[in-house]
Amino acid sequence: MSDLTEIWVISATSGLAVGLVGLLAGWFLRHRTLRWQLAVVGVVTTLTVLVGVQAVSRRMLISDHDRQVVLIVTSAAAVVSLAVALLLAAALVRWSHGLREDVRRVGEGDAPSAARRGPAEFQELADELSAATARLAGARERELRLEESRRELVSWVSHDLRTPLAGIRVMAEALEDGMAADPPRYHRQIRGEVDRMVNMVDDLFELSRIHAGQLTIEPQVVVLGDLVSEAIAAADPVARARQVTLGGEVPHGLQVAADPAGLTRVLANLIVNGIRHTPADGTVYVQARPVDGGVELAVTDGCGGIPDEARGRVFDVGFRGTSARTPESPLADVHTSRAGLGLAIVKGIVEAHHGQVAVENVESGWGEVSRPGCVFRVVLPG
Ligand SMILES: Nc1ncnc2c1ncn2[C@@H]1O[C@H](COP(=O)(O)OP(=O)(O)O)[C@@H](O)[C@H]1O
Ligand SMILES: [Mg+2]
């Protein structure tokens, strides 16, 4: 073996031995701070040189002077590499403390600081943290909105029940005392109020079944033409009373597998909403058409468009718009409760069919007096 080959073999073997010891040390120190790991790297590098020089000098004739030279140079290198390792470690520790601080702030609901710090990996962690914070804030916001809707719902429902009940009591007392000027009118009004309350309680019951996941869908083949014309016929008196034109079109023979009662309710809610939000001489139009993988039912009205901030919330339980807090004359609307439950029920029924419902604004609706409006689209899988 030539000299140089021997030197290669000896230094590789001793280097390997030192490296293994270093790895072992690293493993024992794995739970300590980063400083220790980096110190191990510095020490291993220096030791490899020292041990290699010693081993080689044992086998060969290296003058004492030469050996000392090598020793001095390596010792200086050792000091420098250890110092650099410790400084780097200190910086890494500082950056990781910064990250930890950010995580703590996120935990307390604050935003992480936007400072760029440390190596690429740390930066990626920080970016990931910011993204997670944004998602968390979104979820919190949605949760708050739902909570607010629910609170409003409870207070509106109690209000909406108390007002007609108070009215009924006054009318009943008047009838009892024989003070009522026009008893048949009082009877009719009492009937109307009771109908409205029954509808509201029905809606609440339906919604609680939807939320409890107890809504049972019994899909049958439904001929959409029949279903739509029945829904239009049922809502026609309301439309006439409000001078809104109601119409629709369905391709001949279009069918879908759905729960007929559920789908009727969906259509009725959408149509009555459309009529209610369309001014006199406007038009509400119902359309069905086959789409990719199912059918689409679209109800277009002339409501003038729903503002962006309200459009995201119309399907929330208890949401009834920003300007809808004072109920209109009850007799104008005996068919619905107006408690902000209708669209939440629509959504629940549609989702129980594995379908989707969405709303968008349109520039011009149907009819001779075409106004901007909105269209509610229900897509049911075929
Ligand atoms: N067709 C529509 N055009 C404009 N706004 C609508 C329409 N349908 C619903 N909205 C808005 O969404 C709210 C919620 O509707 P809904 O859930 O049916 O409750 P409710 O009819 O009891 O008020 C309504 O109060 C209204 O502000
Ligand atoms: Mg409604």
Side-chain angles (χ1 to χ4, degrees), residues 83-169:
V84 169
L86 289 180
L87 282 177
L88 270 183
L92 280 175
V93 167
R94 211 176 46 246
W95 290 322
S96 83
H97 281 176
L99 264 183
R100 191 180 64 194
E101 189 59 20
D102 274 358
V103 172
R104 196 186 54 73
R105 290 161 62 109
V106 169
E108 286 172 358
D110 294 337
S113 73
R116 278 186 74 82
R117 58 166 78 88
E121 286 83 353
F122 279 32
Q123 198 49 52
E124 277 166 17
L125 262 180
D127 291 347
E128 205 46 58
L129 191 66
S130 302
T133 316
R135 282 197 298 274
L136 208 67
R140 207 175 283 143
E141 166 101 354
R142 266 197 307 283
E143 191 57 38
L144 277 179
R145 261 179 23 202
L146 279 180
E147 182 58 37
E148 187 195 337
S149 286
R150 265 182 225 126
R151 257 203 316 274
E152 284 177 345
L153 173 70
V154 171
S155 73
W156 281 334
V157 165
S158 5
H159 173 266
D160 286 5
L161 285 176
R162 191 176 301 133
T163 314
L165 280 174
I168 289 173
R169 159 178 265 158

Side-chain angles (χ1 to χ4, degrees), residues 273 276-277 301 303 314 319-321 338-340 342-343 374 376:
N273 274 355
R276 183 194 298 146
H277 292 98
D301 65 15
C303 67
V314 289
F319 179 78
R320 31 183 207 184
R338 304 232 48 196
L343 287 178
C374 55
F376 283 80

Side-chain angles (χ1 to χ4, degrees), residues 20 27 33 53 98 101 104 115 128 156 181 239 249 252 268 323 378 380:
L20 281 177
W27 192 77
T33 119
V53 169
E101 189 59 20
R104 196 186 54 73
E128 205 46 58
W156 281 334
E249 67 185 7
H252 189 70
S323 57
V378 173
L380 296 177

Side-chain angles (χ1 to χ4, degrees), residues 217-228 250-264 266-267 287-297 349-350 353-356 378-382:
I217 295 297
E218 283 167 19
Q220 299 171 14
V221 175
V222 175
V223 178
L224 280 173
D226 296 350
L227 192 102
V228 169
V250 181
H252 189 70
L254 187 60
Q255 295 180 337
V256 68
D259 184 70
L263 202 52
T264 301
V266 165
L267 260 184
Q287 269 177 306
R289 62 184 180 113
V291 289
D292 255 4
V295 297
E296 181 192 83
L297 280 164
I349 295 177
V350 170
H353 281 84
H354 307 289
Q356 281 164 352
V378 173
V379 175
L380 296 177

